[in-house]
Amino acid sequence: MTDSIAVGQVSDDRQALLAAAAARMPNARLVTITAGHYVHRDQPARFLEAVVPSLPQGSTTSL
């Protein structure tokens, strides 16, 4: 699975472009998390919820 994570202020136009890009990638999904530039720091639980499912099995042992 390929993730595209949009952060920060996301306009409707930009969201539509990101959704269109994700739709063109096999097994992709678009995840939008309202946060600042450091989404992994500002919203760690939501970031991990979005990213961990796309990681190879066993690669999250240090999380």
Side-chain angles (χ1 to χ4, degrees):
M1 181 182 304
T2 302
D3 288 329
S4 176
I5 300 175
V7 299
Q9 297 292 84
V10 180
S11 68
D12 290 339
D13 290 340
R14 182 167 176 236
Q15 191 69 15
L17 288 172
L18 292 169
R24 295 180 61 117
M25 293 182 262
N27 302 314
R29 66 189 178 118
L30 174 64
V31 178
T32 302
I33 301 171
T34 303
H37 182 75
Y38 299 103
V39 63
H40 59 285
R41 181 191 68 196
D42 297 341
Q43 296 285 343
R46 296 205 51 219
F47 177 79
L48 289 173
E49 182 180 287
V51 173
V52 169
S54 65
L55 297 175
Q57 186 73 355
S59 64
T60 61
T61 55
S62 63
L63 295 178

